[in-house]
Amino acid sequence: MLSYQHAYHAGNFADVHKHLTLYAVVDHLLRKKSSITYIDTHAGRGLYPLAAAETARLQEYQEGVARLWAKRARLSEASPLLGDWLTAIAEVQQGGGLDHYPGSPWWLSHRLREQDRLRLFELHPGEHGHLADQALPQAVKRIQGDGLAGLLKALPVKTPRLCVLVDPSYERKAEYSEVADTVLSAMRKARHGVVMIWYPMLPAGRHQALLEGLRDGGLRKIWRSELTLGDPGEGHGMYGSGMLVVNPPWGLDERINEAMAALLPLWGPTARHRGDWWVGE
């Protein structure tokens, strides 16, 4: 299925959770000089104008990045990570206010060093067309194709370090198990790689197939962060956002937990964050 376009959801609360975690991981990795290969398996467009027809239709960013933008001074004082992340958000604005939201290709490419490499996979032809129009560094390789298959084909990489973001749409139930199987295979080829996996939390609880698949497959050292805005209920909408980080950098948990504690009041009394080890060492 190729119906999903992230532009309809750009900048929502799940994007904030996902990209804040991504930013924190990259920030830790950049403390060492050795080169890194980044792989983004489901890249999307790269940059999202909030006035675009798709994004303006649902305006999910109003419940996400817009709430942070309105409180950025206070949030920056509460968490250095949030301050740095919001400063980066300001770099892509073109009219003085909040008018664009950066996707993962931008978050990865704007901190790319001369010795680093970035591969962006996007299967959807329309989304890849938007991605191809983005002004990105020469070291970025844009590939129209299946990101999960592309990840396995790309391994092992030539650089000493590897960082992967796996962020599918999960339009199909089978994707949860497919992601687990792909990550297990990838870690056998690159056991020291840092792999981030995003998943939606829906009332049906399908993300448990992903969580249990990784645990039962023998993978270790998986840190979990889950942001929920309410109880699952009986509806069909996404009530939470989950991130798994395999081989998380030291100190990541403290920085994310601090940032999330500052953010929870923006979403009201039912918002919760859980940061813990899904599978320890």
Side-chain angles (χ1 to χ4, degrees):
M1 294 176 67
L2 288 175
S3 60
Y4 182 84
Q5 296 180 64
H6 190 67
Y8 288 97
H9 313 286
N12 65 7
F13 81 94
D15 265 2
V16 169
H17 180 220
K18 177 197 331 174
H19 294 141
L20 186 65
T21 305
L22 173 62
Y23 185 92
V25 167
V26 172
D27 197 49
H28 277 274
L29 295 179
L30 291 179
R31 296 176 185 181
K32 295 183 179 180
K33 293 183 179 179
S34 57
S35 57
I36 308 166
T37 293
Y38 299 98
I39 298 177
D40 187 347
T41 63
H42 299 76
R45 300 185 180 187
L47 187 63
Y48 299 91
L50 299 180
E54 301 97 329
T55 310
R57 180 177 175 183
L58 299 178
Q59 296 190 35
E60 291 188 9
Y61 68 89
Q62 296 285 6
E63 301 297 315
V65 67
R67 293 198 177 193
L68 279 70
W69 186 258
K71 302 291 184 181
R72 59 190 181 279
R74 180 179 63 80
L75 293 173
S76 297
E77 292 179 359
S79 162
L81 174 60
L82 284 172
D84 292 344
W85 190 79
L86 287 164
T87 296
I89 289 277
E91 294 179 21
V92 303
Q93 308 314 318
Q94 299 177 12
L98 181 66
D99 48 43
H100 285 75
Y101 184 79
S104 53
W106 186 89
W107 287 110
L108 289 167
S109 65
H110 94 288
R111 305 184 80 188
L112 209 61
R113 303 168 302 179
E114 184 178 357
Q115 66 267 41
D116 300 329
R117 296 293 179 265
L118 170 59
R119 297 185 185 187
L120 303 172
F121 289 92
E122 177 53 55
L123 183 59
H124 192 292
E127 297 297 275
H128 185 267
H130 286 286
L131 181 63
D133 290 336
Q134 298 296 327
L136 299 175
Q138 189 173 1
V140 178
K141 187 175 183 180
R142 288 167 268 210
I143 305 157
Q144 185 180 352
D146 185 322
L148 297 182
L151 168 62
L152 296 181
K153 187 176 180 180
L155 299 179
V157 296
K158 295 180 180 180
T159 56
R161 295 186 291 162
L162 169 71
C163 180
V164 179
L165 174 64
V166 182
D167 174 26
S169 64
Y170 298 101
E171 288 183 283
R172 297 178 294 106
K173 295 179 184 179
E175 281 188 277
Y176 295 94
S177 297
E178 290 169 2
V179 168
D181 291 342
T182 299
V183 171
L184 289 170
S185 296
M187 297 310 295
R188 285 192 285 268
K189 294 185 175 186
R191 64 190 183 93
H192 296 301
V194 177
V195 179
M196 292 165 282
I197 308 156
W198 177 81
Y199 55 92
M201 299 180 70
L202 302 164
R206 292 173 184 156
H207 62 281
Q208 290 299 327
L210 167 62
L211 295 171
E212 293 167 6
L214 293 173
R215 181 195 61 198
D216 297 345
L219 198 58
R220 294 295 176 263
K221 210 173 177 185
I222 308 174
W223 188 72
R224 172 178 59 176
S225 171
E226 291 186 343
L227 171 64
T228 56
L229 301 191
D231 295 326
E234 298 180 355
H236 300 283
M238 182 171 63
Y239 70 91
S241 165
M243 284 291 290
L244 299 175
V245 185
V246 183
N247 293 327
W250 184 85
L252 175 71
D253 54 347
E254 294 181 2
R255 297 185 77 199
I256 295 297
N257 288 336
E258 179 186 63
M260 287 297 153
L263 289 179
L264 290 180
L266 299 182
W267 290 301
T270 61
R272 299 285 186 273
H273 175 255
R274 176 172 66 178
D276 59 12
W277 288 94
W278 171 242
V279 184
E281 294 193 59

